[in-house]
Amino acid sequence: EPSDRNEGEVSGAKVIAQALKTQGVEYMFGIVGIPVTEIAFAAQELGIRYIGMRNEQAACYAASAIGYLTGRPGVCLVVSGPGLIHALGGMANANMNCWPLLVIGGSSERNQETMGAFQEFPQVEACRLYSKFSARPASIEAIPSVIEKAVRSSIYGRPGACYVDIPADFVNLLVNVNSIKYTECCMSPPVSMAETPAVCMAASVIRNAKQPLLIIGKGAAYAHAEKNIRKLVEQCKLPFLPTPMGKGVVPDNHPNCVGAARSRALQFADVIVLLGARLNWILHFGLPPRYRPDVKFIQVDICAEELGNNVRPAVTLLGDINAVTKQLLEEFDKIPWQYPPESKWWKTLREKMDSNEAASKELASQKSPPMNYYTVFYHVQEQLPRDGFIVSEGANTMDIGRTVLQNYLPRHRLDAGTFGTMGVGLGFAIAAAVLAKDRSPGQRVICVEGDSAFGFSGMEVETICRYNLPIIILVVNNNGIYQGFDTDTWNEMLKSQDATIAAPPACLLPNSHYEQVMIAFGGKGYFVQTPEELQKSLRQSLADTTKPSLINIMIEPQATRKAQDFHWLTRSKM
Ligand code: ADP
Ligand code: MG
C-alpha cells in the first residue's frame, strides 16, 4: 500500500531507498515479504535495479559479487528472522573474501521487542560476527547517516560486509519530508601509499632475488591494479602466479604466467611479492614444505593486521596495491633492472609448465565416453569467449577447471573463494550477468558447476530465466560429491537395502537430468555424453543469444585429478 499519500510526508521505505540511491547504490538483490516489500518497490521506483531471487543466501552472494566487480556495495534486502539468517552465509562469504556488501534486513516492531514478535531475532548482534559494521538506526531521521556509514565502512580499509537493521514499524511510518537530511554520498576510499624506505628496501630485495615470484591475488583485482602490475611484470621480466580469483589481472596466456608450474614456483622461489593475497590455506600458509624455509616475502596489503600473519615478512608495504605498485615502478625507473630471462629459474619453471601441460593434454585426448574432467575442460576452453565471465565451483570441477580454463580480463572469475563456499555459483553468475547486460551487452557468463554445487541453489535457474540473463550453465556431472557411481552400480548397491540405509553419503542420484530444470523455465537444455555432443551444445548455446542454457555433461563418475606432487592436494574424501 502506498502510505505517503499525505503531501509533505514520506514513508520510512522511501527514505531508505533515497538514502541508498544517494550513496550510489545501483543494484539490490533480495526476496520481498513482510516487512520489506515497500522498500523494494521504492528502490525500483528510484531506478535502483531490483533482482528478486529464490533464496536469500543466493541473493546475498549476488549482492557481494556486485561489490567485488564494481567496488561499490550491492544491497541484499531480506525479511526478518529466517530471511536474515539465510543471508548470513552470504555475509560471511563476503567478509572472508574482503568484498563490500550491504545487507538491509527488516526486523520485528520495536514496541514488540522481547515479546515474541513475528520473526523476532537479535539481528544486529547476529550480524556482528559476519560484518565490519552492524547497526539499527534509532529513528527514521537517522537512516540516511547510518546507511552512509554502512556503505562507507564496506569500502574503506579492508572491504567487507555491513548490516543495517530496519524495524518493521519504520517501513510505513510517515515523517515530515523536511525532517530528513540525506547525508552526501561518501567519498571514494582514500588511497594510501607505503613508506618510501620500505619501497626502496622492497626494490632492493627484488633486485637481489635469484628466484623471484610475484603472486597476484584477488586484492589486486579488486584494487584495479592491472595496468601497473602488468607493467611491473613486463618491465622487470618477473614470473607471476595468479591465485584463483587473481587470474586475469595479467592474462593467463601471458608468457610470464607460471600458473602451470604452481607448486614448483612456490616451492623454490627465494623472494615472493604478495600483491593482495593472504598467506592462508590457499597459499599453504607460506610455510615449508611448500616453500623454502628462507623465502623472503614482500607483503603488499591495505590491511595492517594482515602483515606478518604466519610468516615474518622481509618487507611490508602497507597501502593500496595500485599505488604501491606504482611506487615500486618508480624505483625501477630510477635504476632500471630486469630479471635475466635466460636464468636457470626460468628454465626450471618452463620445464615444469611444459610437463604439466603435456600431462593434462594427454588426459584430455581421451575421446571415448565417459569423458574425464580434462576432456571436458579442453573442449570448453576451445570455445570459451575471451571476454566472458567464468564462474566456477565444485571440488574437482573447480580445481581442475581452473588449470584449464583461461582468464584474459581482470575481475572475470568468481569462485568458492577464501571461505571455500559451495553454492555461490548461481548467485555470482546472476550478478555478473546483470552487470554484463547493463554495461557490455553481448558478454556471456559461463557458469561451470559440479552437480553437487549446482544443487545448492538450483532453483535460481528460474531467476535466470525470469530476467533472461546471458548465462550458460555447465553441470559437470559425476553423480556425486567428489565422486559418484554409475546407474548399474547404484542399482546393484541398493538391490537388497533401502536407499535411506545404504546409499553412500557422497552419492547423488545417477544420471540426473539437470538440463530439464532449465527447460522447465523456458531456457535451453542439453544432455551430453560425448565430446562431439559437448562441442555441438556449446556452439549452439553460444550462438543463441536469446536464451540462457544449461548443458548437463555426464562424465566418468570416478574421474579424478591427475597425480599431484603433494599427495594432500588430491582432496578425495572418499
Ligand atoms: P586470494 O584469495 O586471491 O589469495 P585474499 O582474499 O587472500 O586473496 O587476499 C586479498 C587481500 O587483498 C586482503 O588481505 C585484502 O586486505 C587486500 N586488499 C583488498 N583491497 C586492497 C587494496 N586496494 N590494496 C591493497 N590490498 C588490498
Ligand atoms: Mg559431482
Side-chain angles (χ1 to χ4, degrees):
E1 291 295 292
S3 43
D4 57 338
R5 334 168 249 270
N6 304 339
E7 247 181 80
E9 291 192 314
V10 64
S11 68
K14 294 206 169 181
V15 172
I16 293 160
Q18 186 58 57
L20 292 171
K21 179 84 184 165
T22 306
Q23 294 309 319
V25 166
E26 291 181 86
Y27 299 96
M28 181 183 274
F29 298 82
I31 299 182
V32 296
I34 296 169
V36 300
T37 307
E38 289 83 355
I39 301 174
F41 276 95
Q44 197 174 47
E45 221 165 87
L46 289 178
I48 293 175
R49 203 64 61 83
Y50 179 82
I51 307 294
M53 308 274 292
R54 302 305 303 265
N55 184 300
E56 290 89 354
Q57 198 180 76
C60 205
Y61 292 142
S64 74
I66 291 285
Y68 172 61
L69 298 174
T70 69
R72 300 288 297 194
V75 166
C76 175
L77 179 72
V78 297
V79 301
S80 42
L84 187 270
I85 287 167
H86 290 168
L88 292 179
M91 286 181 85
N93 190 68
N95 229 29
M96 295 292 175
N97 275 348
C98 314
W99 290 358
L101 164 71
L102 175 54
V103 177
I104 304 272
S107 61
S108 46
E109 296 195 16
R110 282 167 307 164
N111 61 9
Q112 295 172 352
E113 209 158 21
T114 74
M115 293 175 69
F118 175 62
Q119 298 184 334
E120 181 176 344
F121 193 73
Q123 300 185 175
V124 174
E125 292 88 332
C127 288
R128 216 156 258 150
L129 268 180
Y130 310 96
S131 66
K132 297 174 72 179
F133 172 78
S134 177
R136 166 195 283 197
S139 63
I140 294 187
E141 288 75 10
I143 287 172
S145 64
V146 173
I147 285 181
E148 187 270 348
K149 179 159 174 157
V151 168
R152 182 160 42 84
S153 302
S154 77
I155 56 178
Y156 276 38
R158 170 181 271 175
C162 292
Y163 176 66
V164 176
D165 195 67
I166 306 289
D169 49 307
F170 276 8
V171 175
N172 291 319
L173 198 69
L174 297 176
V175 295
N176 189 308
V177 177
N178 298 321
S179 68
I180 308 291
K181 298 274 171 292
Y182 292 98
T183 317
E184 254 184 272
C185 183
C186 66
M187 292 184 288
S188 299
V191 176
S192 50
M193 293 203 287
E195 295 168 303
T196 312
V199 179
C200 295
M201 204 207 283
S204 127
V205 171
I206 295 171
R207 280 178 217 278
N208 290 310
K210 300 254 170 345
Q211 313 198 140
L213 179 68
L214 298 183
I215 296 182
I216 304 175
K218 65 177 173 296
Y222 180 78
H224 286 245
E226 52 268 16
K227 275 208 193 93
N228 284 321
I229 291 180
R230 186 172 186 151
K231 226 165 145 188
L232 184 66
V233 164
E234 292 181 349
Q235 191 170 319
C236 298
K237 303 224 183 319
L238 292 165
F240 75 90
L241 175 74
T243 65
M245 281 192 261
K247 273 160 71 77
V249 169
V250 183
D252 281 340
N253 63 345
H254 192 284
N256 292 30
C257 178
V258 297
R262 183 181 190 273
S263 294
R264 192 59 56 97
L266 297 180
Q267 206 183 349
F268 296 110
D270 67 342
V271 170
I272 295 181
V273 186
L274 284 171
L275 297 164
R278 284 168 283 182
L279 291 176
N280 56 17
W281 65 279
I282 292 185
L283 288 173
H284 319 287
F285 313 107
L287 297 173
R290 304 302 307 271
Y291 294 81
R292 286 162 55 136
D294 62 346
V295 57
K296 293 191 168 109
F297 282 103
I298 298 171
Q299 227 180 335
V300 185
D301 208 290
I302 204 164
C303 173
E305 289 89 335
E306 187 57 41
L307 305 170
N309 276 345
N310 301 332
V311 301
R312 188 179 173 84
V315 189
T316 56
L317 300 173
L318 176 62
D320 171 70
I321 294 168
N322 193 37
V324 173
T325 307
K326 217 190 267 165
Q327 287 180 289
L328 280 171
L329 280 168
E330 280 159 15
E331 282 303 310
F332 289 114
D333 279 342
K334 274 188 231 156
I335 314 169
W337 170 83
Q338 63 178 48
Y339 182 67
E342 297 309 319
S343 63
K344 212 169 139 223
W345 180 225
W346 265 121
K347 199 165 162 254
T348 310
L349 293 170
R350 292 245 157 76
E351 273 171 14
K352 190 65 190 169
M353 288 197 285
D354 291 345
S355 69
N356 277 348
E357 275 160 11
S360 303
K361 280 211 182 95
E362 167 72 29
L363 283 161
S365 68
Q366 182 212 306
K367 294 276 184 273
S368 56
M371 290 183 277
N372 66 45
Y373 286 103
Y374 293 87
T375 310
V376 169
F377 292 130
Y378 270 82
H379 286 295
V380 174
Q381 171 59 27
E382 263 172 19
Q383 294 192 43
L384 202 65
R386 287 210 158 203
D387 68 343
F389 283 100
I390 300 175
V391 177
S392 187
E393 58 174 338
N396 285 317
T397 297
M398 182 173 70
D399 290 346
I400 301 171
R402 183 176 56 240
T403 66
V404 181
L405 304 177
Q406 305 267 297
N407 281 91
Y408 306 97
L409 296 171
R411 298 169 297 283
H412 277 65
R413 178 184 168 87
L414 296 161
D415 67 23
T418 305
F419 212 21
T421 312
M422 295 300 147
V424 290
L426 273 67
F428 283 177
I430 288 168
V434 168
L435 273 184
K437 243 186 159 178
D438 262 10
R439 302 184 176 187
S440 28
Q443 195 183 17
R444 309 297 279 271
V445 179
I446 315 295
C447 184
V448 187
E449 301 273 308
D451 53 333
S452 163
F454 174 73
F456 285 86
S457 288
M459 197 49 72
E460 297 300 340
V461 170
E462 187 274 325
T463 310
I464 291 170
C465 290
R466 181 163 21 106
Y467 294 106
N468 197 22
L469 298 174
I471 297 173
I472 299 170
I473 300 174
L474 309 180
V475 177
V476 182
N477 190 350
N478 67 351
N479 302 338
I481 304 171
Y482 302 111
Q483 292 181 340
F485 292 102
D486 58 46
T487 311
D488 289 346
T489 313
W490 171 264
N491 288 338
E492 185 63 29
M493 276 186 312
L494 301 177
K495 208 164 54 188
S496 55
Q497 272 180 305
D498 190 79
T500 58
I501 296 165
C507 273
L508 297 170
L509 186 68
N511 223 34
S512 288
H513 281 261
Y514 295 110
E515 77 285 359
Q516 298 290 346
V517 180
M518 184 59 90
I519 294 168
F521 301 111
K524 285 269 175 65
Y526 303 87
F527 180 79
V528 308
Q529 290 172 295
T530 66
E532 295 71 31
E533 289 168 356
L534 173 58
Q535 285 172 308
K536 191 166 163 220
S537 62
L538 278 168
R539 255 197 315 277
Q540 290 178 353
S541 301
L542 286 162
D544 184 354
T545 52
T546 66
K547 273 186 177 158
S549 43
L550 190 154
I551 307 177
N552 183 12
I553 306 164
M554 302 309 292
I555 64 164
E556 159 63 44
Q558 300 280 314
T560 54
R561 299 180 68 173
K562 66 176 154 55
Q564 299 291 315
D565 285 349
F566 289 89
H567 64 86
W568 60 86
L569 275 179
T570 310
R571 279 197 305 191
S572 174
K573 303 263 182 357
M574 289 194 68

